[in-house]
Amino acid sequence: MGIVGGLAFMALVVRDEPLDSGRARRWVGVGGIVLTASAALASLNRAVVIEREWSALWSPDAIADAVSTHFGVAAGLRLAGGLALVVTLLRAAANPPRQWTVVTALTGGALVIASFAFDGHTVTEGPRLLHAIASVSHVSAAAVWTGGLVLLVDLLWRRRRRGADVYRPLMRFSRMAASSLVLAGASGTAMAIIVLDRFADLWSTPWGRFLLAKIALVAVAAAIGGHNRWVLIPAMKENGQAAIHRRLRLAVVIEAVALLGVAVVAAFLVAASAA
C-alpha cells in the first residue's frame, strides 16, 4: 500500500514533467500486481492458520471459511484494488486518454484504502465508524509519506545523473509530505486512544511496546525530514545543487529506511492486535 500511495503522490509531484510522471504511473501498475498477489497469498495463509494444516491451501471450504469474515472483506477490496491498478498499467502501455488512466488509478487506490477499515483493532475496538475513519486516514497518510519518499530516492538519483533540476520537486514533496505527517500523527493518536484501556498498556502489553517502537522510528524520520526541509533544501538553493545533493540524498535514504522500519513494526502491530 505504501509504495502504491507514494507512487500516486510522486505522480502529482512531477505532474508537469512527462518523463518522471510516466515512470511513476507505470510503477503504480506494478504495485497493483504486487497488491493482487499479496491479497491472494494472505487469504491462503489465513486458511492455513485457521485450519492449522497445509492442506487448507487447496481446500475450497477452508479458503471460504477464511474469507467469510471481516478479513475476507479487506482481502477482497485489496484484490479488487490491485486489479484496478493493473488495468492502469495496461492502459498506460496502450496510451489511452489520460482521464481513463486517472480514473482506474483512483478507483484502485480508493478500494485499497477502504480495505483498512476491516483490519485488526479497527473491527474489534471502540466506536466502529470512528475507528475506521481514523484507520483509513492514518494508513493513507503514512502510505503517501513512506512510498513517496522511496520514489524520491529514485528521482534524486536519476536527476543527479542527467544534471536535471531537483529543487522544485523537492519543495513540492516537502510541502505535501508535511501535511501527510500531520494527518498520520493525529489519526494515529486517535487510534491509540481508542485501543488502549490505560496509559500503562504502552509498556505492559506487546501491542503497546510495538507502538512505542513505531513512534520512535517515526520521530527519527520526522526529524530528518525537518532537517531536509529547513536546512538542506534552502542550502541547496543558496549554494548550488551540486554542493548539497550528496548530503541530501543520504538523508533521504536514511529517512526512507526509517519509514520502512515503521512499516515492518506496523505489521507486528496488526499481528499483535489479532492475537
Side-chain angles (χ1 to χ4, degrees), residues 33-226:
I33 295 173
V34 174
L35 272 172
T36 302
S38 62
L41 290 173
S43 299
L44 295 175
N45 178 69
R46 183 78 168 192
V48 171
V49 170
I50 292 175
E51 299 295 326
R52 298 185 178 182
E53 54 184 49
W54 288 105
S55 62
L57 287 172
W58 50 83
S59 170
D61 290 338
I63 295 172
D65 289 341
V67 299
S68 62
T69 62
H70 287 294
F71 167 83
V73 177
L77 287 171
R78 287 169 193 162
L79 183 64
L83 290 173
L85 294 171
V86 172
V87 171
T88 299
L89 176 62
L90 298 176
R91 286 184 176 276
N95 295 315
R98 183 178 177 183
Q99 61 268 27
W100 287 107
T101 303
V102 172
V103 167
T104 54
L106 289 177
T107 300
L111 289 170
V112 174
I113 288 171
S115 72
F116 287 91
F118 301 91
D119 255 350
H121 276 146
T122 308
V123 297
T124 60
E125 300 287 344
R128 180 78 174 84
L129 180 60
L130 177 61
H131 202 167
I133 293 173
S135 179
V136 167
S137 300
H138 184 71
V139 171
S140 301
V144 164
W145 185 19
T146 306
L149 199 62
V150 172
L151 269 293
L152 183 63
V153 173
D154 176 60
L155 182 144
L156 289 175
W157 176 260
R158 288 184 293 103
R159 289 201 169 195
R160 174 61 175 168
R161 292 182 64 183
R162 65 177 190 258
D165 173 65
V166 297
Y167 180 76
R168 183 171 61 171
L170 277 170
M171 286 302 298
R172 283 179 176 174
F173 176 87
S174 180
R175 287 191 292 267
M176 297 173 76
S179 300
S180 296
L181 174 60
V182 171
L183 179 58
S187 55
T189 300
M191 291 170 64
I193 292 173
I194 291 172
V195 171
L196 294 172
D197 294 324
R198 54 197 179 93
F199 188 71
D201 287 346
L202 280 173
W203 56 84
S204 63
T205 65
W207 194 89
R209 290 190 287 271
F210 281 128
L211 179 60
L212 288 177
K214 180 180 175 182
I215 292 172
L217 287 170
V218 169
V220 170
I224 296 172

Side-chain angles (χ1 to χ4, degrees), residues 230-253:
W230 301 111
V231 177
L232 293 184
I233 295 178
M236 174 178 284
K237 185 177 182 180
E238 294 177 6
N239 303 324
Q241 296 190 15
I244 305 298
H245 195 283
R246 181 185 179 90
R247 290 170 56 195
L248 181 63
R249 193 169 71 240
L250 178 61
V252 170
V253 168

